[in-house]
Amino acid sequence: GFQGLSSLVSVTLPTDLESIDDETFDGCLALKAINLAYLPKLRRVGARAFRGCSSLAQAEIPAGVESIGDECFSGDRSFNEATIPDSVITIGRDIFAGCESITRLRTPFLGKNDQEPEGCSYFFSKEDATLGKACLREITIARGKSLAPSAFEDYRELVSATLPTGLEEVGDKAFFGCSSLSNVSLGVGTHRIG
């Protein structure tokens, strides 16, 4: 791969690419942007694929991707916005650990998959969730039957949360301590709020 190429600023990938393997761009400090949107066959983005790309502000993940590996974008301090497409089936742990600038996140679910809901700290690191709690302002969740207890506990900068249609249950203390939260959109079908 391209691990550790600290002067790599941009890269153009072949349109028939199916997988970006583990650690492919790990430590590419100067990488500013990567356009994955034009890769219709891409199905997998591996673990730590873009870890430590501290100049990377965003990466548009195309529809069709099914798997995103652990720590995929961890340490990308400039990363400010992420959209995970609805095609994704599994998301690795700590994909945004150390992403101290991320303010907006759109995800199909919170956790490894939509059958095992977790709190938002699953994405930001359970060991040090303070970064996510200090910067995330807007979240949209596309699908899922339940929101885990304490899912956004103490996310004090969170202003807006859009929850999926078909969400049946909001867990206890899901938004406890979210002192800036001014807008929550619940989809049709919610039967229990904890």
Side-chain angles (χ1 to χ4, degrees), residues 141-160:
I141 305 168
R143 67 178 187 260
K145 297 286 185 198
S146 65
L147 192 61
S150 302
F152 297 100
E153 186 171 349
D154 293 328
Y155 276 72
R156 287 176 169 63
E157 299 302 315
L158 189 64
V159 174
S160 175

Side-chain angles (χ1 to χ4, degrees), residues 32-51:
K32 291 184 183 285
I34 187 150
N35 185 358
L36 305 176
Y38 71 94
L39 303 175
K41 295 182 179 183
L42 188 64
R43 297 295 173 258
R44 177 182 176 273
V45 181
R48 300 167 298 283
F50 296 97
R51 178 180 62 184

Side-chain angles (χ1 to χ4, degrees), residues 54-162:
S54 56
S55 298
L56 190 63
Q58 64 183 39
E60 192 172 333
I61 302 167
V65 169
E66 297 173 351
S67 173
I68 300 173
D70 291 346
E71 301 177 39
C72 186
F73 299 102
S74 67
D76 296 357
R77 293 189 313 262
S78 299
F79 211 76
N80 58 34
E81 184 174 335
T83 298
I84 301 171
D86 291 345
S87 58
V88 170
I89 298 168
T90 60
I91 300 173
R93 182 172 291 287
D94 302 337
I95 60 170
F96 301 118
C99 294
E100 59 194 40
S101 300
I102 193 163
T103 59
R104 182 179 294 158
L105 174 61
R106 190 207 177 280
T107 181
F109 46 83
L110 284 179
K112 181 177 181 175
N113 57 52
D114 60 3
Q115 302 301 312
E116 303 171 56
E118 295 259 359
C120 200
S121 61
Y122 178 86
F123 292 153
F124 290 100
S125 173
K126 285 195 181 257
E127 289 74 39
D128 184 14
T130 56
L131 288 177
K133 290 179 180 185
C135 61
L136 189 64
R137 297 181 49 80
E138 184 179 322
I139 181 103
T140 300
I141 305 168
R143 67 178 187 260
K145 297 286 185 198
S146 65
L147 192 61
S150 302
F152 297 100
E153 186 171 349
D154 293 328
Y155 276 72
R156 287 176 169 63
E157 299 302 315
L158 189 64
V159 174
S160 175
T162 303

